[in-house]
Amino acid sequence: MTTHASHPDIIKRLKRAEGHLKSIIAMLEEGRGCLDIAQQLQAVESAVANAKKTLVHDHIDHCLEHAVHEGGDLGRDAIREFKAITKYL
């Protein structure tokens, strides 16, 4: 498995989202108001979306760039993988 410079930041974002999810569950169990819960859900969505965007941009900046520079089968595989990853944007 390849670790990129952005992975620690992505992990931090996802752990923050995990904490928000746990608090949302507690809020629901406590019967808290819908507005408060919706705000926390938005925070989770935002954290996950930003983590995904960071991951995809990192992939483009490093993996794709490297593979295209190398050329040959590696370049073709990188283009194919790039096409596949764009469905997550």
Side-chain angles (χ1 to χ4, degrees), residues 44-83:
V44 170
E45 284 184 35
S46 180
V48 171
N50 286 331
K52 179 176 69 172
K53 183 168 46 169
T54 300
L55 180 76
V56 171
H57 286 182
D58 184 62
H59 178 74
I60 291 167
D61 290 343
H62 296 99
C63 301
L64 186 62
E65 188 174 298
H66 170 74
V68 169
H69 187 74
E70 291 292 319
D73 288 341
L74 192 57
R76 281 187 290 282
D77 290 345
I79 296 298
R80 193 171 21 260
E81 186 174 340
F82 176 70
K83 288 177 181 178

Side-chain angles (χ1 to χ4, degrees), residues 4-74:
H4 298 270
S6 67
H7 286 187
D9 181 51
I10 292 169
I11 291 168
K12 186 175 16 173
R13 290 172 191 259
L14 293 175
K15 285 185 177 188
R16 191 175 308 128
E18 179 183 38
H20 282 295
L21 280 172
K22 288 179 180 180
S23 70
I24 292 166
I25 292 167
M27 291 169 76
L28 286 165
E29 291 172 343
E30 295 166 2
R32 297 272 302 269
C34 292
L35 178 58
D36 292 338
I37 295 168
Q39 288 171 333
Q40 290 299 309
L41 285 168
Q42 180 61 39
V44 170
E45 284 184 35
S46 180
V48 171
N50 286 331
K52 179 176 69 172
K53 183 168 46 169
T54 300
L55 180 76
V56 171
H57 286 182
D58 184 62
H59 178 74
I60 291 167
D61 290 343
H62 296 99
C63 301
L64 186 62
E65 188 174 298
H66 170 74
V68 169
H69 187 74
E70 291 292 319
D73 288 341
L74 192 57

